[in-house]
Each structure stands twice: as structure tokens, then as C-alpha cells.
């Protein structure tokens, strides 16, 4: 157990550092520190998503009995992936901080921005940070210990939620570098919308449906035939997915209708640090970046 945890603790931060150094020092690239940090964070998230989705497919497809069958990869990948969520809180903050610096705030703020940026980051990314903390402190022990080896199929299907992550990451990068006008951004946006809806929003209804078929009970009776902890956990995990999907839909509406809000004053780094910016998470699901950059085309 400790060996797998240690491997994940080395792999994800190590891949981030390796990617950042390559982007900064390969002669053909020579990216700035900020650009290298932002793209490297997206790369690591995409790699984790591909690994989780692959593990999920292997696990789910190998379970004939969706309650009793077990697969060694289930607990192994959970242990390996737990350090990712701790690392990702740091990586998201670094991305947020460099975005503020790109806006030019560091020039007149001296040493102050780091502490102010941390406060602003926790305020604007509260839901995402909370999600990651819950994954480590609640979902990890529940998945490894409380299940007692049952329901590997359901765990594997939940891993498939990560199918949408690479498209989300690519969308973040395209927005960061003002590529909203490209065909790639529109195709990626449509793909992200579909995969996020299928793999995250419909995930828990499908799990209830699958258990209903297994237990030969109607779908609407499933919540009354599983432990209350299962219903509570499903509700807590599904709620942010629905919220983030609503933000993606708003962004998609603006992208494909071409509407703009030119009268809105652009948000500055000072607005971010002073808490004057509208409360929209900076984790890539926000529609504001799409709106602001689409106004310039």
C-alpha cells in the first residue's frame, strides 16, 4: 500500500516538473515559466485522466457480477491516484498565480501578490479545492476500506468519469492563448460538452440503473434499497458535476451563438486579488474567459 502511494507521490509531481523543464529548455520551444507551468499542469491532468479511464474500462469490462467480482487494479489505482489530488491543489494554485502575473499585477505589488493570490484562489476555487479534499479524506478510505472488496464494477465505471478531462484541459489551454475563434476550439468544446454530460452528469443515474437491474428492482426504488451513505455520497459527488456542466453549457452557448458582452469592464488582476471579480471558478469551467476573449474577435 505504502509503495503504491509513494509511487503516485513521485509520479505526478515528477511528471509536472519534467514537463515544465522540457517546455522551458528545449531549444525549439523556450517557453516562459508561466506558460510552462500552465501547460504542464494540464498535461499531468490529462495523463491522469487517461490512466484512470483506462483502468476503469479494464475493471468494468472484467466484472461479470457487478457487486461481488473483484479486480486487483481497483484498489491499486485508487492508492496510486490519491497523491494526484493533493498535487493538483498546488498545481491549480500555480496556474492561478501565473495567470494573475500575466495580467501584469506583479509589477506594482512587490512581494504581496503571493499571499493575496492564495486567498483569492481559495475563494474562487473553493468548490474544486473542497472536491479534491473530499476525494482524499472521504472517497479514498471509503473506496479502499469501507467497501470491503465489493462493487469494483461501480468503482471502475466511476473512473470513466475522467474521459472528459483531456478535453477540458485542452479547452483551458485554447482559452488561455486566445484561440476561441479556431475550429479546433469549437470541435473541442462540443466534444467536451458531450463527454462531460455522459461521463459525469449521467454517471450516477447509470450506476443506480445498473444496480436496479442487478437486484431486479425498479430504478426509482434503488435509493431506498442501498445504504443511506451511498445516497449521500452520490449526491455530494454529483452536485458539483451538475454545477460545472451548467457553466460549460453557458460557455458553449456563447461560443456557438457568437454573442458578446462588450459593455462589461474586463476583469483585472487587482479585481481578482481584491475580491471584486464575479464569483466564477478559475478551473476552466468558467464562462468569463470565453466571453472576454470572444469580445476581441
Amino acid at each position: 500500500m505504502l509503495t503504491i502511494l509513494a509511487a503516485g507521490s513521485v509520479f505526478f509531481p515528477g511528471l509536472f516538473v519534467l514537463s515544465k523543464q522540457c517546455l522551458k529548455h528545449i531549444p525549439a520551444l523556450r517557453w516562459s515559466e508561466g506558460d510552462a507551468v500552465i501547460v504542464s499542469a494540464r498535461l499531468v491532468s490529462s495523463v491522469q485522466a487517461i490512466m484512470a479511464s483506462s483502468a476503469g474500462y479494464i475493471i468494468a469490462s472484467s466484472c461479470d457480477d457487478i457487486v461481488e467480482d473483484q479486480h486487483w487494479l481497483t484498489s491499486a489505482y485508487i492508492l496510486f491516484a490519491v497523491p494526484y489530488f493533493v498535487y493538483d491543489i498546488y498545481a491549480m494554485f500555480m496556474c492561478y498565480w501565473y495567470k494573475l502575473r500575466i495580467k501584469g499585477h506583479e509589477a506594482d505589488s512587490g512581494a504581496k501578490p503571493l499571499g493575496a493570490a492564495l486567498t483569492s484562489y481559495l475563494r474562487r476555487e473553493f468548490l474544486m479545492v473542497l472536491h479534491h479534499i473530499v476525494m482524499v479524506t472521504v472517497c479514498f478510505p471509503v473506496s479502499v476500506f469501507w467497501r470491503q472488496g465489493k462493487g469494483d464494477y461501480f468503482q471502475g465505471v466511476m473512473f470513466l468519469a475522467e474521459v472528459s478531462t483531456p478535453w477540458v484541459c485542452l479547452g483551458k489551454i485554447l482559452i488561455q492563448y486566445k484561440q476561441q475563434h479556431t475550429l479546433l476550439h469549437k470541435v473541442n468544446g462540443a466534444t467536451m460538452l458531450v463527454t462531460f454530460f455522459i461521463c459525469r452528469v449521467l454517471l450516477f443515474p447509470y450506476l443506480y440503473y445498473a444496480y436496479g437491474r442487478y437486484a431486479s428492482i425498479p430504478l426509482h426504488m434503488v435509493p431506498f434499497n442501498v445504504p443511506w451513505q451511498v445516497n449521500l455520497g452520490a449526491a455530494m459527488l454529483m452536485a458539483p458535476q451538475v454545477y460545472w456542466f451548467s457553466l460549460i453549457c453557458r460557455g458553449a452557448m456563447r461560443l456557438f451563438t457568437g454573442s458578446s458582452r462588450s459593455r462589461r469592464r474586463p476583469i483585472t488582476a487587482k479585481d481578482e486579488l481584491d475580491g471584486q471579480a464575479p464569483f466564477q471558478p478559475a478551473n476552466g469551467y468558467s464562462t468569463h474567459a470565453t466571453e472576454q476573449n470572444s469580445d476581441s474577435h
Side-chain angles (χ1 to χ4, degrees), residues 119-192:
T119 301
S120 176
Y121 162 73
L122 292 175
R123 180 174 60 248
R124 289 175 60 82
E125 289 281 13
F126 174 77
L127 186 58
M128 181 63 77
V129 172
L130 178 63
H131 170 270
H132 281 32
I133 292 174
V134 168
M135 293 296 292
V136 174
T137 61
V138 179
C139 295
F140 165 60
V142 166
S143 298
V144 175
F145 303 110
W146 184 75
R147 290 190 308 116
Q148 298 181 342
K150 294 183 181 295
D152 279 17
Y153 171 82
F154 297 99
Q155 191 67 61
V157 173
M158 290 181 69
F159 286 161
L160 292 173
E162 294 292 342
V163 167
S164 64
T165 299
W167 311 107
V168 174
C169 291
L170 178 57
K172 294 177 185 179
I173 294 174
L174 293 174
I175 290 174
Q176 180 68 27
Y177 297 104
K178 298 180 174 60
Q179 297 300 307
Q180 291 90 331
H181 62 287
T182 62
L183 177 61
L184 174 61
H185 184 255
K186 294 183 178 180
V187 172
N188 181 77
T191 306
M192 177 178 67

Side-chain angles (χ1 to χ4, degrees), residues 177-215:
Y177 297 104
K178 298 180 174 60
Q179 297 300 307
Q180 291 90 331
H181 62 287
T182 62
L183 177 61
L184 174 61
H185 184 255
K186 294 183 178 180
V187 172
N188 181 77
T191 306
M192 177 178 67
L193 186 70
V194 172
T195 57
F196 197 97
F197 179 69
I198 293 175
C199 298
R200 290 182 179 263
V201 177
L202 293 184
L203 172 66
F204 292 100
Y206 169 76
L207 293 178
Y208 277 72
Y209 166 76
Y211 183 78
R213 288 191 60 187
Y214 173 83

Side-chain angles (χ1 to χ4, degrees), residues 4-221:
I4 301 176
L5 278 171
S9 300
V10 172
F11 178 78
F12 294 110
L15 180 60
F16 173 77
V17 172
L18 177 63
S19 174
K20 184 180 72 170
Q21 293 302 316
C22 289
L23 292 174
K24 287 173 58 180
H25 295 107
I26 290 179
L29 298 176
R30 299 286 187 181
W31 286 14
S32 67
E33 176 79 11
D35 288 343
V37 164
I38 292 170
V39 173
S40 296
R42 311 309 185 209
L43 173 64
V44 175
S45 294
S46 297
V47 169
Q48 192 282 139
I50 293 170
M51 294 173 67
S53 302
S54 300
Y57 175 78
I58 293 171
I59 294 165
S61 61
S62 68
C63 294
D64 295 324
D65 188 311
I66 66 174
V67 173
E68 299 295 336
D69 282 0
Q70 298 182 13
H71 195 286
W72 66 268
L73 191 55
T74 307
S75 294
Y77 191 76
I78 291 171
L79 290 167
F80 182 75
V82 162
Y84 165 79
F85 293 98
V86 178
Y87 142 82
D88 198 46
I89 293 175
Y90 164 78
M92 288 191 301
F93 169 69
M94 293 302 296
C95 292
Y96 183 77
W97 187 37
Y98 277 108
K99 285 178 183 177
L100 292 182
R101 295 182 64 181
I102 288 171
K103 291 180 179 180
H105 185 80
E106 80 284 4
D108 58 358
S109 300
K112 181 181 177 182
L114 182 58
L118 179 59
T119 301
S120 176
Y121 162 73
L122 292 175
R123 180 174 60 248
R124 289 175 60 82
E125 289 281 13
F126 174 77
L127 186 58
M128 181 63 77
V129 172
L130 178 63
H131 170 270
H132 281 32
I133 292 174
V134 168
M135 293 296 292
V136 174
T137 61
V138 179
C139 295
F140 165 60
V142 166
S143 298
V144 175
F145 303 110
W146 184 75
R147 290 190 308 116
Q148 298 181 342
K150 294 183 181 295
D152 279 17
Y153 171 82
F154 297 99
Q155 191 67 61
V157 173
M158 290 181 69
F159 286 161
L160 292 173
E162 294 292 342
V163 167
S164 64
T165 299
W167 311 107
V168 174
C169 291
L170 178 57
K172 294 177 185 179
I173 294 174
L174 293 174
I175 290 174
Q176 180 68 27
Y177 297 104
K178 298 180 174 60
Q179 297 300 307
Q180 291 90 331
H181 62 287
T182 62
L183 177 61
L184 174 61
H185 184 255
K186 294 183 178 180
V187 172
N188 181 77
T191 306
M192 177 178 67
L193 186 70
V194 172
T195 57
F196 197 97
F197 179 69
I198 293 175
C199 298
R200 290 182 179 263
V201 177
L202 293 184
L203 172 66
F204 292 100
Y206 169 76
L207 293 178
Y208 277 72
Y209 166 76
Y211 183 78
R213 288 191 60 187
Y214 173 83
S216 299
I217 56 177
L219 176 61
H220 69 277
M221 293 300 297

